[in-house]
Amino acid sequence: MDSRRRDVLKAGGGLGIWSLLAVAGIVSPARAQDARNVAAFEATTLDEALQALGARDAAESGAIRIVAPDVAEDGRAVAISVSSEIPRTEQIVILIEENPWKVAASFRLSGAMAPAIQTRVKMARSTRVHALVKAEGRLFAARREVTVTVGGCGT
Amino acid sequence: MSAPTRIRATLKEGATELRMLFSHPMENGLRKDAEGQRIPAHFIMEVSVRRNGEIVLAADFGPSISTNPYLAFSIAGGAAGDEIVVSWRDNRGETRSDTIRVA
């Protein structure tokens, strides 16, 4: 590892990490496309979000597991985990269908990371949760219903 | 000035289990305060987690992630003394980076 790479990694905390690496010529432009998918995050319909993610034709997969409560009392913080048994999982995206913006988070996994992530999300009301997994450039999807007692995107 | 990210790292069965709790309001821009004024959007957009300088996870967040975001996951390998650095940047350009050593 040369010192320039080290400096770039340090700077990466403050700016787009992959775009910085790309500018420095350290990663290929293909890798830099992993930068934030702005269109997906700004999408306010599920269709737009899936289109921006290139996931409209994602194959349904039983190898993706979404763990979430059947009934969430408090939509402000619903514990959710997504794990994938699909070999070479490189990305996991979580979408909350009934929220104002559909994409909650996108995780780009290194080879060192086990393909499982736990987090907490807001749910405006009862909703379907979608998990997308990208592996070797292909997209797979799973869905799960969560009933919400008190919504959590309050206005 | 933002509050530190709380990071826990545990060595277990040949892996490093990481849990982290960020301190951030994660406002989506739609909520109103007591006076009916809209609270501006303020949320973490980008997170990176590095071990000994290597990125192990890069994440993008939207405002659907809960207030004070929580993340837990596991990375292969690891040893006492590994340096774990968790960094974030929000939609206002504020940044924060916190470091722990695996015990």
Side-chain angles (χ1 to χ4, degrees), chain A residues 25-56:
Chain A
I26 289 162
V27 294
S28 67
R31 192 66 175 133
Q33 285 172 8
D34 287 349
R36 185 181 185 87
N37 186 331
V38 175
F41 274 95
E42 290 181 354
T44 53
T45 69
L46 184 69
D47 205 45
E48 283 171 12
L50 292 176
Q51 177 149 22
L53 290 160
R56 283 169 108 175

Side-chain angles (χ1 to χ4, degrees), chain A residues 82-142:
Chain A
V82 175
S83 57
S84 164
E85 290 171 10
I86 300 168
R88 286 177 283 283
T89 290
E90 61 206 47
Q91 186 180 11
I92 295 174
V93 183
I94 300 173
L95 298 94
I96 312 297
E97 187 168 332
E98 295 296 330
N99 279 5
W101 292 277
K102 308 306 174 188
V103 180
S106 167
F107 301 94
R108 301 189 295 279
L109 287 59
S110 68
M113 193 178 140
I117 187 97
Q118 291 175 48
T119 188
R120 295 180 194 135
V121 296
K122 301 173 200 167
M123 293 183 182
R125 55 183 163 270
S126 298
T127 184
R128 262 202 299 190
V129 174
H130 301 246
L132 299 177
V133 166
K134 193 176 196 180
E136 295 188 307
R138 292 188 61 200
L139 279 157
F140 302 89

Side-chain angles (χ1 to χ4, degrees), chain A residues 1 5 9-10 12-18 34 36 41 76-78 99-101 103-110 112-114 116-122 153-155, chain B residues 21 26-28 30-32 43 45-48 50-51 53-68 70-76 87-89 95:
Chain A
M1 181 192 282
R5 175 154 188 239
L9 285 171
K10 269 184 209 152
L15 287 157
I17 292 155
W18 297 116
D34 287 349
R36 185 181 185 87
F41 274 95
R76 290 176 300 180
V78 182
N99 279 5
W101 292 277
V103 180
S106 167
F107 301 94
R108 301 189 295 279
L109 287 59
S110 68
M113 193 178 140
I117 187 97
Q118 291 175 48
T119 188
R120 295 180 194 135
V121 296
K122 301 173 200 167
C153 288
T155 50
Chain B
L21 192 62
M26 298 300 287
E27 287 290 351
N28 66 5
L30 298 178
R31 294 195 326 127
K32 289 176 182 161
F43 59 96
M45 296 181 79
E46 191 172 311
V47 171
S48 72
R50 278 167 277 172
R51 175 172 62 187
E54 296 286 332
I55 290 183
V56 292
L57 173 66
D60 297 314
F61 283 2
S64 288
I65 295 292
S66 296
T67 303
N68 298 329
Y70 173 77
L71 282 186
F73 57 95
S74 177
I75 48 180
S87 308
W88 58 254
R89 180 176 65 90
T95 64

